[in-house]
Amino acid sequence: MKRIMLAAGGVLLVCGLAQGAGLRDLAQKRGFLIGGAMRLYPETLADPQYLPTFAREFNVVVPEHVMKFRDTQPKENVYDFRKADFLVKFAEDHGMKVRGHTLVWHEAVPDWVEAYKGSSETLREILKDHITTEVGYFKGRILAWDVVNEAVAKDGSLAPDAGPWPRIDQGRALGGYIADAFRWAHAADPKALLFYNDWGAEQLGAKSDGVYALLKRLRAQGVPVDGVGFQAHIDYDEPVSEDSLRANFKRFSDLGLIIHITEMDFGIPDKLRSDPKALAKQADVYRLFLKVCLETPRCQAFLTWGLTDKYSWIDEGGEDTAPLLLDKDYRPKPAYAAVKALLRRP
Ligand code: XIL
């Protein structure tokens, strides 16, 4: 089979660190990972503050796009790892860990897979090849992979419409493709931690019951799943209960799983974007999540879905805005101060 693989060969120079201690120094001292999603678009790369602020604030980074199936295998047998190479090298050059995101996700399926009309057996081979190639390519350099993303529906059932992938299960119980994905990833990089990642499963409820049941079953079957990622995209009016978070984190820990908060953000309705009360509420919610994480021994990482309010997916069409720790001018918000204070606490 002919295969084209594009990889970055050149030397990448990134300017020096901005001054001042960031969150990472405090996290480092307590053996904790603090991080965010990096967007590799022309405007972020042209922004002189963007990359240095990552290196100053975070000791773990996750790509917002460039490791997704659509980006890494845009055509059948054509792999493009150039942007992902850039990110991994940046992380290594700055002593940061990498979370790999994500191998199986119905919203990042390339057109050629979406349009695929072949048998479920050959579709299975396509997924196996993708996981084996991507995880193998970065072997030894990725702390944790989000192997499967968002495969559970809101009611806790396994989503039969999770893109083309459930079709692989024809003739088997739904969910076989999930177990396979973890096995293939493990074979390609036995030392990487393998995660199931989802939204809306942070607290007790139908969805988290479904994720819990799935992971319990996979663990009982000896499937190599090491962790659960709680995305923590929290809506402004969503009730968040400390007890519920804590109890939920505990039951997943008790399965022997590691927990990462993988994509936290908290958008503010546009008209309240500079309202001190709204910013204080945002700080409270960040504080609550990080506090429960720090108090749960198996919760080992806390990442936000972005770095600065200047660049966020929340602004891609929604009514909310300003969801992150730094404002559009890279100034720390109350939420940043809340995170910093907690990391400083013994
Ligand atoms: C989002 C990106 O931020 C957007 O730019 C893109 O259009 C869609 O994907 N859950 C996930 C992330 O696991 O991969 C998503 O990222 C946000 C929701």
Side-chain angles (χ1 to χ4, degrees):
M1 187 203 309
K2 189 164 156 280
R3 171 174 299 181
I4 301 169
M5 206 178 284
L6 301 166
V11 180
L12 299 161
L13 291 177
V14 173
C15 43
L17 298 190
Q19 294 304 305
L23 301 174
R24 74 178 277 174
D25 296 341
L26 296 169
Q28 205 79 24
K29 274 187 200 136
R30 55 192 309 149
F32 189 71
L33 292 169
I34 188 96
M38 183 181 276
R39 176 177 289 193
L40 296 178
Y41 282 178
E43 66 263 33
T44 50
L45 292 173
D47 177 341
Q49 278 180 282
Y50 191 69
L51 293 175
T53 307
F54 263 95
R56 187 190 70 211
E57 296 297 340
F58 296 148
N59 55 4
V60 57
V61 61
V62 59
E64 187 176 355
H65 308 102
V66 300
M67 283 183 178
K68 290 173 179 170
F69 202 140
R70 191 185 282 151
D71 297 74
T72 53
Q73 200 185 355
K75 298 201 180 93
E76 191 163 9
N77 295 321
V78 176
Y79 282 89
D80 184 350
F81 292 125
R82 287 172 296 181
K83 292 196 176 120
D85 279 337
F86 174 91
L87 182 136
V88 173
K89 177 136 191 343
F90 176 86
E92 289 172 350
D93 287 348
H94 296 89
M96 304 160 85
K97 305 271 188 224
V98 178
R99 292 195 88 263
H101 175 87
T102 176
L103 300 166
V104 185
W105 185 35
H106 52 281
E107 287 195 31
V109 174
D111 292 344
W112 68 270
V113 174
E114 206 75 72
Y116 191 73
K117 294 277 184 293
S119 68
S120 56
E121 256 321 297
T122 47
L123 186 62
R124 184 169 185 272
E125 287 308 311
I126 286 172
L127 186 61
K128 180 177 183 184
D129 174 74
H130 184 79
I131 291 176
T132 306
T133 304
E134 181 161 351
V135 176
Y137 181 85
F138 290 109
K139 184 177 177 187
R141 302 169 75 193
I142 306 293
L143 171 77
W145 276 104
D146 288 333
V147 177
V148 178
N149 201 37
E150 303 181 355
V152 173
K154 249 182 149 173
D155 67 1
S157 64
L158 278 185
D161 56 350
W165 309 125
R167 190 151 76 82
I168 292 174
D169 289 338
Q170 255 168 26
R172 302 189 292 174
L174 180 60
Y177 80 97
I178 297 176
D180 286 345
F182 280 98
R183 293 191 185 107
W184 295 327
H186 182 67
D189 187 353
K191 290 199 181 128
L193 298 171
L194 304 182
F195 275 65
Y196 174 80
N197 191 49
D198 214 329
W199 62 276
E202 298 81 16
Q203 307 192 65
L204 297 172
K207 171 118 185 202
S208 65
D209 285 351
V211 173
Y212 179 78
L214 168 68
L215 295 182
K216 189 171 178 184
R217 179 159 55 82
L218 292 175
R219 299 274 297 181
Q221 291 168 352
V223 175
V225 48
D226 301 294
V228 60
F230 295 127
Q231 293 183 4
H233 295 293
I234 308 301
D235 288 339
Y236 193 73
D237 291 318
E238 189 173 329
V240 183
S241 141
E242 181 166 346
D243 289 347
S244 177
L245 276 179
R246 200 181 296 284
N248 197 41
F249 284 25
K250 178 165 186 328
R251 67 171 169 164
F252 281 91
S253 297
D254 290 347
L255 284 183
L257 294 165
I258 300 168
I259 298 172
H260 287 174
I261 306 296
T262 50
E263 309 185 11
M264 182 144 184
D265 53 15
F266 182 85
I268 293 176
D270 208 19
K271 56 180 189 307
L272 300 177
R273 62 184 311 149
S274 352
D275 180 337
K277 279 206 203 101
L279 290 165
K281 177 172 173 169
Q282 180 177 59
D284 285 345
V285 176
Y286 270 102
R287 184 185 297 110
L288 199 56
F289 270 79
L290 181 59
K291 177 168 179 276
V292 174
C293 180
L294 291 173
E295 289 170 7
T296 304
R298 298 186 74 85
C299 188
Q300 299 171 355
F302 184 93
L303 291 89
T304 56
W305 202 242
L307 167 74
T308 150
D309 291 341
K310 196 170 176 182
Y311 313 107
S312 163
W313 78 302
I314 293 285
D315 294 327
E316 288 168 14
E319 279 165 16
D320 291 345
T321 188
L324 293 160
L325 301 178
L326 300 176
D327 75 7
K328 281 194 180 326
D329 299 313
Y330 289 87
R331 283 185 305 237
K333 294 160 66 181
Y336 178 97
V339 165
K340 196 164 205 173
L342 271 180
L343 289 176
R344 191 172 275 139
R345 230 164 62 176

